[in-house]
Amino acid sequence: MFYNYFKTAFRNLLRNKGYAAINIVGLAVGIAACLLIFLVIQFETSFDNFHKKKNEIYRIGTELPGADGMNYTAGCALPVGPQLRLDFPQVKEVASIFNQGGQITIDNNGSQKKFNADNFFYAEPEFFSIFDFGWLSGNPQTCLKDPNSAAITQEVAEKYFGDWRSAIGKTFKYENKTPYKICGILKNIPANSDFPLGIVVSYSAINSTYLKDNLKDWVSTFGDAYTFVVLPPEISQIKFNEQLKAFSKKHKPAEYAKEASYAQPLTEIHFDNRFGNFSGHTFGHSLIEALALIGVFLIVIASVNFINLATAQAVNRSKEVGIRKVLGSNRLQLALQFLGETFLITFAAIIFAVGIAIIVLPLVNQLLEIKMSINFIANPVVTLFLVTTLVLVTFLSGIYPAIILSGFNPITALKSKITSKMVGGLSLRRVLVVLQFVIAQILIIGMLIVVSQMNYFRTASLGFDKAAILNVGLPGDSVSHTKINYVRDALLKNPDIKNVSFSFTSPSSESNWNSDFKFDHSAKTTDFSANLKWADENYFKTYNLQFVAGRAFYPSDTSREFVVNETLIKKLGIRDPKDAIGKQINFWNGAKVANIVGVIRDFNTYSLRKPIGAVVLSSAKDFYQTINIKIKPGAEKATLPFIEKVWNDAFPDYVYEYRFLDDTIAGFYKQENQLSLLYKVFAGLAIFISCLGLYGLVSFMAVQRTKEVGIRKVLGASVQNIVYLFSKEFTLLIIIAFAIAAPIAYYIMHKWLLDYTYRIDLGASTFLLAIAGSIIISWITVGHRAIKAAIANPVKSLRTE
Amino acid sequence: MIKITELEKIYRTEEVETIALNKLSIEVKDGEFVAVMGPSGCGKSTLLNILGLLDDPDKGSFIFNQIEVADFNERRRADLRKHNIGFVFQSFNLIDELTVFENVELPLIYTGVKSADRKKRVEEVLDKVQIMHRRNHYPQQLSGGQQQRVAVARAVVNKPKLILADEPTGNLDSHNGNDVMQLLTELNEQGTTIVMVTHSEHDAGYSHRIIRMLDGQTVTENILV
């Protein structure tokens, strides 16, 4: 019996190739997108869930109350970890780990190999009893005890030494200074971990670095110094956080007591972008929800095609239904038969979808900068997902046509008296087309808004000149700092180099140094922090920063004068910038005291997501770590080798690294860029699948109305009249869909834009563009088929009756 | 075999009420071959649909094989139909997507006959209507006469007690028409009861008895044998 159903189903599909193709292509594309979304979500939700204690591990971050609300950092002050062990004996496991960038030098029989390493960590041995990172060789308990020993991953070992087995016992130098001996090899870190460990050295090694004093410093919070605890089941997160508030109060100086430690579950680290993590890659719950919703949307759109085409085609199947009923088939058997056909189509679509997913997966990996494996097919969860999709889509799209088709009266069906009106699907089909275009237009409007916001980011004035500026690293040691003048003079010898300035960071940067201060001999510190931009006097010219009052500071190696921005004086309640000149700023109780000599126009210190904060600029040679080079526009590429040579001559022991400021700033919006590309793809898919369905529907309409078109033409209708006849209904449906989609899209995108301090206006133009685009695309879709129907010879169509 | 008494069937649309069958009473005995004749709209087709359990009467009694079936629901009608009644239509009504063999096999599938038995019985009956050589062809590849022979084969493959034929030669030339009538006569001689609606006096001549209808009622009955 089932064999017979499948046989009929299969032959039916072969006979109606166009119909089958539209259904299979639409469903395959929809399911492929959904499958990829599922894989992405599965990958993103699998981060660090391979640790046995994953549900008991908490990270001790810090809450920092500020003038503009609560700020969060994933790190904590360095004494927090050791003190937790003393104050909370009931917490059995505590481990600290500190990520530092730096340079690794390997002495290989006299020849030196230099590497820049972002993945350098100080870690306590306990870290490896809390987390389940495997060791190929060595033992964390013994290996990480000794301050000058290190463990490296297999990958790093192979990069540095060729073979990981030969790496044990070898040494390397960190920052051209501290030697470490390799005593352990870590298994490569899985792709789905937020701990991109590469080199792990003993935590006790911090004692011999410049961070030594910070081990007792309760005030400085390091964003990359994490402490983890394993909470016993009797202590809840809420209870522990209350205890941590008291703990911070007890140990921190009174004025910092509000900066409380905060325990956050390991299971949230990958999703909570307020805190961040070592991998620098978070994936918010709202993003997961949005993606899941889009996946469901795409499947729904494809299923709608199915229902529409199946009910439209039902008329052609009525004879078969009649015969089968006469021959003794009951309704259930017929319904099962039609469901079987849907199953077959869905099954074929899923096979294609998997193929598409395999081809597209590397692109998705590249786009989202993740590492999903192509072996997803072997994953039973994926199989389960596909089977569920198969069953769900079969029922979603098959049940309605099956009920309609199996319900035909056999006598009427045999006399071919079933009309599309009797199928009862006309109004339903209209509703479904509207539903499709509501979804498609929400995605289109969303896409347009994300794209224009991105364009705004690219073109918005940041308040400083960012074109043709190259940022090169400056080694932090004092010997290198003595070469600052030499490097400047050498660089300026090249006529294509306009300006050179040394500074802590560029004007817009991800690393910011914030501090409160005392203003104008006040006894109290300010209730806001200023962003400290240490830079030499050439900084203003290099970046074309505009003065509204006063002047730049005079050349100096230390902070003798301050320049501030407009926001700072506004926050202090000063109206006229000139009034600020000569006023004193006092950092850290007299550690840095000087007068304001200039006020500059505001510029953006970070991404346009954030409002401009208060800024203080001053010279402080010790803190410089960036060389800012302004190149003649157009000569950027040609000048690069020259700059590299000057740099390498000056700092032969270090690795040369450069970045254009344009790229750095574009990097602030990486996630938005990824998102906007993703939206473009999904909106494109949605409109593609919808139009596919529209095309199928119009094709059926054209066939069914052949006679009508013939009669109309005989009576004098023009081709335009006929095309209008076909397009007017769909145009109306799309306009109705727009009326529903526009407010929904407005609501969603308005909320999204609120995350950005600097944002585009949600004008009517975006919405008009969306509706115009939808109508034009659907006209093109409908038009082709309508014109074909309209120019057909009426004699032919009338004779066939 | 069939006894209908005072059968009524009325079709209603919004404005018009059409009486298709007006207190019609007919009896057909086991093994009879009855032709039903009459002008268009006299109720022949309605009668055939009700006899074939495709439609239900509004009033009256319909006893099929000693069972009152006038008030059967669709499921019970379908069940009774597939075991006892075979249909032959004017327009053949073969399923285009199935081959000759598969079309004839279909009733056996619905009555749950096992695959091996099905093959034997289909081949037997295809042999009988001399269409065996075309068993793997699709309906579109056959002539009208061949298609109707397949339809007859499909109607008898389940060995029904009753065959209902609705203008079986209507779409055929006289040569092919005679072949089909010959086939029906043979089936009748082997014991199958046949009720045939026809416009053709010639075809009616093959039957034992002609029932003439007008406006939903019987007018005359001619007994030929």
Side-chain angles (χ1 to χ4, degrees):
Chain A
M1 176 103 59
F2 281 105
Y3 173 67
N4 185 274
Y5 291 164
F6 277 111
K7 198 162 56 188
T8 330
F10 189 66
R11 293 196 189 140
N12 228 305
L13 296 183
L14 278 185
R15 253 165 72 94
N16 300 297
K17 286 193 196 78
Y19 160 78
I22 286 177
N23 268 332
I24 292 177
V25 169
L27 271 179
V29 170
I31 294 173
C34 204
L35 173 61
L36 286 168
I37 288 174
F38 177 79
L39 291 175
V40 168
I41 292 177
Q42 201 204 16
F43 178 76
E44 297 289 353
T45 51
S46 73
F47 268 69
D48 287 302
N49 66 3
F50 53 88
H51 305 291
K52 278 192 208 78
K53 299 174 194 159
K54 62 172 189 265
N55 292 320
E56 292 115 69
I57 301 174
Y58 290 81
R59 181 175 66 182
I60 310 298
T62 312
E63 294 180 330
L64 304 164
D68 47 353
M70 190 68 86
N71 294 310
Y72 298 88
T73 170
C76 57
L78 298 190
V80 168
Q83 195 65 43
L84 282 173
R85 284 197 186 96
L86 299 175
D87 288 17
F88 295 94
Q90 64 273 38
V91 176
K92 294 278 182 290
E93 293 181 89
V94 178
S96 296
I97 181 164
F98 196 168
N99 182 206
Q100 288 273 293
Q103 186 179 311
I104 304 293
T105 313
I106 292 159
D107 206 348
N108 206 352
N109 302 328
S111 75
Q112 280 196 341
K113 275 204 279 183
K114 295 179 284 180
F115 301 94
N116 266 335
D118 296 330
N119 49 9
F120 182 92
F121 290 83
Y122 295 102
E124 294 181 319
E126 290 85 347
F127 178 80
F128 290 97
S129 46
I130 293 181
F131 292 93
D132 296 306
F133 293 108
W135 286 57
L136 288 172
S137 164
N139 175 341
Q141 302 311 322
T142 52
C143 178
L144 295 179
K145 273 255 145 58
D146 178 17
N148 280 93
S149 57
I152 58 178
T153 59
Q154 182 187 349
E155 199 182 341
V156 171
E158 280 162 1
K159 186 173 157 195
Y160 290 177
F161 304 102
D163 178 28
W164 66 267
R165 283 175 191 83
S166 68
I168 299 191
K170 297 253 170 67
T171 55
F172 64 84
K173 240 192 223 169
Y174 176 62
E175 293 288 65
N176 281 326
K177 212 164 68 189
T178 326
Y180 289 97
K181 188 171 176 189
I182 295 163
C183 59
I185 305 291
L186 279 159
K187 278 188 190 156
N188 284 338
I189 307 300
N192 56 346
S193 172
D194 283 321
F195 297 90
L197 307 179
I199 302 155
V200 182
V201 305
S202 169
Y203 199 78
S204 53
I206 294 177
N207 272 313
S208 54
T209 68
Y210 74 102
L211 293 163
K212 186 175 72 180
D213 294 339
N214 292 107
L215 287 170
K216 293 183 205 88
D217 170 13
W218 280 91
V219 175
S220 306
T221 302
F222 291 86
D224 287 327
Y226 295 175
T227 293
F228 291 93
V229 297
V230 178
L231 283 190
E234 64 269 19
I235 307 180
S236 71
Q237 185 197 359
I238 297 167
K239 198 168 130 199
F240 190 59
N241 273 326
E242 275 165 22
Q243 293 171 342
L244 282 177
K245 279 210 169 86
F247 169 84
S248 306
K249 209 170 215 165
K250 181 174 155 199
H251 295 288
K252 291 208 171 192
E255 52 208 296
Y256 297 98
K258 275 192 189 146
E259 298 181 357
S261 292
Y262 177 86
Q264 177 198 29
L266 174 71
T267 45
E268 271 303 305
I269 285 176
H270 192 65
F271 308 106
D272 196 337
N273 47 22
R274 296 174 305 173
F275 290 89
N277 55 47
F278 284 142
S279 71
H281 167 71
T282 55
F283 208 83
H285 288 299
S286 56
L287 188 56
I288 290 180
E289 282 158 19
L291 282 178
L293 195 66
I294 289 174
V296 172
F297 274 0
L298 289 175
I299 291 246
V300 166
I301 292 184
S303 296
V304 163
N305 277 355
F306 201 106
I307 297 171
N308 276 342
L309 290 177
T311 52
Q313 207 216 12
V315 179
N316 305 345
R317 301 286 300 269
S318 60
K319 184 181 146 198
E320 183 193 335
V321 172
I323 298 170
R324 284 184 184 271
K325 280 202 163 179
V326 167
L327 294 180
S329 168
N330 62 37
R331 191 166 177 182
L332 181 71
Q333 287 171 322
L334 274 169
L336 280 177
Q337 181 196 335
F338 288 113
L339 270 182
E341 280 181 32
T342 317
F343 179 86
L344 208 64
I345 288 187
T346 314
F347 188 75
I350 284 189
I351 301 291
F352 281 113
V354 170
I356 296 172
I358 290 174
I359 296 167
V360 176
L361 193 76
L363 297 174
V364 176
N365 273 337
Q366 204 184 343
L367 168 68
L368 296 178
E369 299 182 348
I370 56 179
K371 292 176 210 151
M372 292 188 290
S373 162
I374 204 92
N375 295 327
F376 63 86
I377 308 292
N379 186 337
V381 184
V382 175
T383 313
L384 187 69
F385 168 80
L386 289 175
V387 171
T388 313
T389 310
L390 179 63
V391 173
L392 223 64
V393 171
T394 302
F395 274 92
L396 196 67
S397 39
I399 204 84
Y400 179 76
I403 288 172
I404 292 291
L405 278 163
S406 64
F408 286 156
N409 178 314
I411 302 165
T412 346
L414 277 180
K415 286 185 178 154
S416 299
K417 278 186 180 163
I418 302 271
T419 63
S420 56
K421 283 206 177 86
M422 289 170 70
V423 182
L426 200 59
S427 55
L428 175 95
R429 253 175 275 154
R430 288 193 182 120
V431 170
L432 290 177
V433 168
V434 168
L435 173 72
Q436 279 187 316
F437 275 87
V438 166
I439 294 173
Q441 291 192 58
I442 289 176
L443 290 175
I444 291 173
I445 294 170
M447 181 266 287
L448 287 174
I449 291 172
V450 173
V451 169
S452 13
Q453 179 71 13
M454 291 317 302
N455 283 342
Y456 174 72
F457 284 154
R458 257 199 299 279
T459 53
S461 161
L462 299 174
F464 61 89
D465 189 357
K466 66 179 165 112
I469 287 189
L470 190 75
N471 292 137
V472 182
L474 173 70
D477 63 297
S478 50
V479 180
S480 300
H481 272 98
T482 59
K483 295 183 181 157
I484 281 180
N485 288 331
Y486 161 76
V487 171
R488 177 190 298 123
D489 295 344
L491 286 173
L492 285 172
K493 274 188 191 130
N494 187 319
D496 283 339
I497 293 178
K498 296 279 160 212
N499 264 307
V500 175
S501 164
F502 294 81
S503 68
F504 176 56
T505 60
S506 54
S508 271
S509 167
E510 264 173 329
S511 53
N512 292 293
W513 182 342
N514 291 295
S515 175
D516 48 11
F517 56 92
K518 287 177 182 161
F519 179 72
D520 197 19
H521 307 287
S522 163
K524 276 179 68 182
T525 53
T526 50
D527 58 356
F528 62 90
S529 295
N531 190 338
L532 303 179
K533 296 267 174 200
W534 310 112
D536 64 17
E537 68 285 358
N538 296 316
Y539 200 67
F540 303 101
K541 244 195 262 162
T542 307
Y543 286 106
N544 196 19
L545 297 171
Q546 302 293 319
F547 279 85
V548 292
R551 55 167 175 83
F553 35 75
Y554 295 127
S556 166
D557 286 350
T558 57
S559 304
R560 290 165 184 272
E561 296 166 321
F562 287 130
V563 169
V564 299
N565 71 348
E566 290 172 304
T567 300
L568 184 131
I569 60 168
K570 251 180 250 155
K571 284 197 171 182
L572 290 169
I574 300 169
R575 288 235 180 113
D576 188 350
K578 288 193 194 79
D579 296 345
I581 308 291
K583 294 283 192 313
Q584 192 200 63
I585 286 181
N586 175 348
F587 279 106
W588 312 309
N589 291 321
K592 264 196 197 303
V593 183
N595 289 343
I596 298 174
V597 296
V599 178
I600 50 166
R601 191 158 289 153
D602 279 340
F603 61 88
N604 284 95
T605 50
Y606 185 41
S607 86
L608 295 169
R609 238 171 271 145
K610 297 262 194 284
I612 292 174
V615 173
V616 173
L617 292 112
S618 185
S619 46
K621 193 175 171 183
D622 287 350
F623 299 139
Y624 297 162
Q625 39 177 267
T626 307
I627 313 176
N628 311 275
I629 305 167
K630 171 82 182 176
I631 306 169
K632 198 169 110 189
E636 294 97 329
K637 274 224 171 90
T639 324
L640 281 180
F642 170 78
I643 296 171
E644 183 171 358
K645 188 175 179 307
V646 171
W647 197 95
N648 278 331
D649 288 348
F651 313 112
D653 291 338
Y654 291 91
V655 184
Y656 173 75
E657 267 189 0
Y658 73 92
R659 203 164 179 205
F660 280 102
L661 184 57
D662 275 333
D663 297 337
T664 308
I665 289 170
F668 296 162
Y669 310 111
K670 199 169 77 189
Q671 203 178 5
E672 281 84 358
N673 270 323
Q674 291 171 347
L675 214 62
S676 87
L677 191 62
L678 222 53
Y679 276 137
K680 276 186 209 167
V681 171
F682 286 137
L685 287 183
I687 196 88
F688 169 72
I689 300 174
S690 301
C691 283
L692 210 58
L694 209 54
Y695 183 80
L697 216 48
V698 172
S699 303
F700 273 105
M701 224 169 83
V703 172
Q704 269 171 25
R705 296 171 83 169
T706 312
K707 192 179 165 193
E708 182 196 333
V709 169
I711 295 170
R712 279 174 188 271
K713 282 191 79 176
V714 169
L715 295 179
S718 67
V719 171
Q720 289 97 303
N721 293 146
I722 304 293
V723 172
Y724 173 72
L725 185 75
F726 280 103
S727 344
K728 77 169 177 204
E729 182 178 329
F730 290 110
T731 311
L732 186 70
L733 292 183
I734 289 170
I735 291 172
I736 294 172
F738 175 75
I740 301 171
I744 300 175
Y746 179 88
Y747 173 76
I748 297 172
M749 295 318 290
H750 179 71
K751 250 174 87 180
W752 181 75
L753 281 174
L754 285 183
D755 279 354
Y756 301 90
T757 310
Y758 300 89
R759 54 181 180 255
I760 52 164
D761 289 326
L762 268 183
S765 57
T766 309
F767 292 88
L768 290 178
L769 195 63
I771 178 76
S774 307
I775 289 181
I776 289 169
I777 292 175
S778 65
W779 274 350
I780 293 169
T781 312
V782 172
H784 164 69
R785 200 62 189 76
I787 289 170
K788 212 168 124 189
I791 57 177
N793 185 347
V795 177
K796 240 184 198 166
S797 62
L798 289 179
R799 205 166 39 199
T800 55
E801 283 297 307
Chain B
M1 159 96 3
I2 294 169
K3 186 167 195 274
I4 59 174
T5 324
E6 306 250 304
L7 210 61
E8 274 186 45
K9 181 76 188 178
I10 299 167
Y11 292 110
R12 288 185 187 85
T13 60
E14 276 162 30
E15 284 154 21
V16 195
E17 197 169 88
T18 318
I19 302 175
L21 297 180
N22 189 4
K23 299 197 174 164
L24 181 72
S25 301
I26 289 174
E27 198 172 348
V28 178
K29 296 212 164 56
D30 274 6
E32 252 195 308
F33 185 162
V34 177
V36 179
M37 299 189 74
S40 292
C42 72
K44 300 184 304 277
S45 291
T46 308
L47 174 65
L48 211 61
N49 285 339
I50 292 177
L51 291 182
L53 298 163
L54 292 170
D55 208 349
D56 47 353
D58 293 330
K59 261 190 202 152
S61 151
F62 175 14
I63 292 169
F64 183 88
N65 247 356
Q66 280 103 48
I67 308 163
E68 176 60 66
V69 296
D71 52 356
F72 268 27
N73 65 17
E74 200 196 310
R75 180 180 286 267
R76 292 182 72 186
R77 287 212 305 264
D79 211 44
L80 198 61
R81 184 166 65 225
K82 69 182 171 195
H83 287 106
N84 295 296
I85 305 174
F87 289 86
V88 179
F89 300 94
Q90 178 180 355
S91 52
F92 325 134
N93 279 338
L94 300 172
I95 295 180
D96 298 337
E97 284 78 23
L98 299 180
T99 62
V100 165
F101 183 92
E102 289 159 352
N103 262 293
V104 176
E105 188 189 22
L106 210 52
L108 298 175
I109 291 175
Y110 284 124
T111 45
V113 177
K114 289 209 171 57
S115 168
D117 283 349
R118 287 208 301 266
K119 187 164 182 292
K120 211 175 101 215
R121 280 168 68 174
V122 173
E123 282 172 357
E124 248 172 52
V125 68
L126 284 179
D127 217 27
K128 206 158 152 189
V129 300
Q130 294 169 1
I131 205 84
M132 195 55 186
H133 58 297
R134 295 281 195 152
R135 51 176 291 174
N136 290 326
H137 289 196
Y138 286 91
Q140 313 87 285
Q141 298 168 313
L142 305 181
S143 72
Q146 288 171 325
Q147 286 193 44
Q148 194 61 303
R149 294 222 294 273
V150 174
V152 172
R154 187 179 62 181
V156 300
V157 69
N158 235 343
K159 299 188 175 134
K161 295 189 181 70
L162 173 67
I163 287 181
L164 298 173
D166 191 354
E167 305 262 12
T169 62
N171 283 6
L172 302 175
D173 59 36
S174 63
H175 175 69
N176 276 314
N178 283 341
D179 276 2
V180 167
M181 287 317 298
Q182 205 58 53
L183 205 55
L184 289 177
T185 309
E186 277 166 33
L187 289 169
N188 177 245
E189 281 163 2
Q190 286 157 21
T192 314
T193 312
I194 296 179
V195 176
M196 173 179 76
V197 165
T198 183
H199 276 112
S200 150
E201 292 286 349
H202 172 81
D203 287 359
Y206 284 88
S207 70
H208 304 161
R209 177 156 65 105
I210 301 174
I211 298 174
R212 293 187 193 273
M213 286 179 71
L214 188 66
D215 296 338
Q217 289 176 311
T218 37
V219 192
T220 54
E221 292 193 26
N222 315 31
I223 298 172
L224 301 176
V225 182

